[in-house]
Amino acid sequence: MAPKIAPVETSTDFPESTTVVIIGGGIIGLTAALTLAERGVSVTVLEKGRIAGEQSSRNLGWIRKTSRHKEDVPLALASDRLWATMNERTGSDVGYRQSGIMFLSRTPDQLAVHEAWLKSVSSLSLDSKILSAREVDAQVPGGRGDWAGAIFTPSDGCAEPTLASSAIARAAIKRGAVIVEHCAVRNLTRAGGKVSGVVTERGEIRCDQVLLAGGMGSRRFLGNIGISLPTLPLVLSVFRTTAMNGPTDAAVGGPDFSFRKHKDGGFIVTQRGALDAPLTLDHLLVGSKYLSALRAQWGLMRISMGKHFWRDLTMPRRWKNGKSPFEQVRTIDPPINQKLNDEAYRNLSAAWPTFENMSVEESWAGMIDITPDSNPVIDAVPGVPGLTLATGFSGHGFGTSPAAGQLAADLVMNSEPIIDPRPYRFGRF
């Protein structure tokens, strides 16, 4: 199952032409569309299923600077500023709260990792700080974990994934953007060596620029035109409790659990120390690029070769303008790993007994597209003039989506970029 998102009335019309086509109706594509529409640019978003139907509504809702790569922090800082005005910008409540994020450490070695990160970003003047065990207990009372300490960033926060994408979509539509659901893009058309349009299951749309923000589908779409983008899948299982009293409004990440307060008073919980890693053919094709990351994160991976492997193997990797794989699977909906959710329950309850009697309201799983360095690609695609890419957000795109979408829009229109785009260049792989 998937979280229920706020409804949006999208277009039933199919435009013949537009200035920009955005492939993918997740939060990155929608934020780019809103940015372009606000600037008076004609833009059409094409979504193979329903907007925000995949990871944009299934993520944890965290908005953080803590523990990001130093080169990724400016994007997070720019997003903080944009999140702070998102209610006003969209005319809707997106659930944004600057309530802080804390990462706990059980051992001095784990705490030393946070201390090293804090030192590495000292030039950025963040409000992150190291907490002692006593300060952890004061910040998040009622626990019985034996913590070595924590890192805490008061200016980090969260928003509600089931509200935010819908609010952004409605605001974009109000400003003139066209959003078409259940319309997969099959291919690009070109004239004079440059992108001139897209071929969809409903026909062709002429355009000047295309932004590919297709999440997990981006690698397969690019592969069809002979371009290799290294991304691999990971699956996160999550549950939400019914409304209950909790120890803090801040989001808290332990070594083997995390929780954050939901807008309705419940808590979003996951087993932070484990992710499902379903094997695919892509592991053979691009897996060598992930060797250093795999060595560092081996303990987090629950590797399996199950139904996803065989389903992925039967999906076409090359096609022309006929039926595409995006029409065969419109929404990636991985199975919940109940074992991991049970682990999260036990680990969290052991650390904060107040969660021992929590009741689960809903559970879901989401598939994340991971790059070798866990940073996204936001860049023009080499050799395909008129095609820009914004994908590979590696599980933390929701938090940076306002600035990431704006950066993508800046690059599409050759405008002054909101931040330096060099950390996100395609060619770094």
Side-chain angles (χ1 to χ4, degrees):
M1 62 182 297
K4 185 178 180 181
I5 67 170
V8 178
E9 186 175 345
T10 55
S11 179
T12 57
D13 296 329
F14 187 75
E16 293 182 358
S17 64
T18 187
T19 301
V20 179
V21 163
I22 296 176
I23 304 173
I27 195 166
I28 303 296
L30 294 171
T31 305
L34 175 58
T35 303
L36 292 168
E38 288 171 334
R39 297 174 180 178
V41 177
S42 172
V43 57
T44 298
V45 179
L46 302 175
E47 166 54 45
K48 67 186 188 307
R50 298 295 304 274
I51 62 166
E54 296 177 339
Q55 195 58 15
S56 291
S57 62
R58 301 171 188 235
N59 65 85
L60 302 177
W62 292 32
I63 298 170
R64 65 175 175 86
K65 300 171 289 295
T66 314
S67 295
R68 288 189 182 273
H69 297 304
K70 180 180 179 180
E71 66 271 16
D72 195 36
V73 172
L75 191 70
L77 286 167
S79 289
D80 277 358
R81 295 190 292 271
L82 292 170
W83 275 116
T85 63
M86 194 62 75
N87 285 356
E88 180 181 359
R89 184 181 182 189
T90 62
S92 301
D93 180 12
V94 300
Y96 175 65
R97 305 185 302 280
Q98 206 167 32
S99 48
I101 290 179
M102 177 187 299
F103 289 109
L104 300 162
S105 299
R106 279 203 176 98
T107 67
D109 285 346
Q110 290 176 354
L111 189 60
V113 172
H114 294 309
E115 290 171 337
W117 175 82
L118 189 56
K119 183 177 180 181
S120 74
V121 297
S122 60
S123 63
L124 300 178
S125 301
L126 303 180
D127 61 337
S128 305
K129 54 188 175 182
I130 299 296
L131 302 183
S132 67
R134 181 175 295 181
E135 289 170 321
V136 170
D137 290 339
Q139 185 77 32
V140 193
R144 58 187 177 196
D146 185 17
W147 306 112
I151 188 167
F152 179 56
T153 305
S155 62
D156 283 348
C158 63
E160 299 302 338
T162 56
L163 299 179
S165 294
S166 298
I168 292 166
R170 287 193 298 267
I173 292 168
K174 185 177 181 180
R175 288 160 178 78
V178 175
I179 300 176
V180 184
E181 296 178 302
H182 301 293
C183 183
V185 177
R186 294 174 170 176
N187 216 330
L188 304 174
T189 58
R190 308 189 207 191
K194 183 183 180 301
V195 169
S196 60
V198 296
V199 177
T200 82
E201 62 183 292
R202 292 178 57 181
E204 183 177 345
I205 300 178
R206 299 187 304 276
C207 64
D208 299 324
Q209 297 284 335
V210 171
L211 172 63
L212 175 58
M216 279 302 309
S218 296
R219 170 170 165 76
R220 198 172 294 262
F221 186 91
L222 289 174
N224 185 49
I225 59 174
I227 295 170
S228 177
L229 169 73
T231 56
L232 291 175
L234 290 176
V235 177
L236 179 70
S237 292
V238 186
F239 66 88
R240 178 172 66 86
T241 75
T242 56
M244 58 174 287
N245 292 323
T248 181
D249 287 340
V252 177
D256 51 15
F257 64 84
S258 76
F259 65 92
R260 70 97 174 162
K261 194 169 186 178
H262 189 266
K263 189 172 182 288
D264 71 356
F267 284 83
I268 306 289
V269 181
T270 189
Q271 212 296 38
R272 185 169 169 263
L275 290 162
D276 283 310
L279 292 178
T280 66
L281 177 61
D282 286 337
H283 284 81
L284 295 177
L285 299 176
V286 298
S288 62
K289 296 180 183 293
Y290 291 78
L291 291 178
S292 61
L294 184 60
R295 283 191 290 268
Q297 304 294 332
W298 178 257
L300 301 179
M301 302 295 111
R302 303 289 174 93
I303 298 171
S304 64
M305 190 174 76
K307 292 181 180 179
H308 180 75
F309 177 87
W310 301 109
R311 189 182 302 115
D312 179 77
L313 200 61
T314 62
M315 301 285 283
R317 290 176 177 267
R318 290 296 179 97
W319 62 94
K320 292 186 178 178
N321 292 337
K323 189 173 183 179
S324 71
F326 313 115
E327 294 149 72
Q328 297 179 42
V329 178
R330 294 190 181 272
T331 300
I332 298 173
D333 189 21
I336 299 163
N337 187 328
Q338 189 58 47
K339 182 179 178 181
L340 291 185
N341 279 354
D342 291 343
E343 288 178 16
Y345 167 79
R346 290 192 300 269
N347 298 338
L348 176 54
S349 298
W352 272 276
T354 188
F355 288 100
E356 286 178 345
N357 297 317
M358 60 184 166
S359 298
V360 176
E361 179 77 15
E362 60 177 346
S363 303
W364 65 87
M367 186 169 286
I368 303 166
D369 52 330
I370 304 291
T371 64
D373 62 4
S374 295
N375 275 346
V377 177
I378 311 173
D379 194 10
V381 176
V384 190
L387 177 61
T388 303
L389 185 61
T391 198
F393 284 85
S394 303
H396 38 254
F398 179 82
T400 57
S401 58
Q406 182 168 327
L407 176 60
D410 293 338
L411 297 180
V412 164
M413 299 308 296
N414 198 27
S415 303
E416 180 71 23
I418 184 173
I419 53 101
D420 183 353
R422 285 178 293 180
Y424 310 110
R425 65 194 184 282
F426 190 103
R428 72 183 190 272
F429 301 126

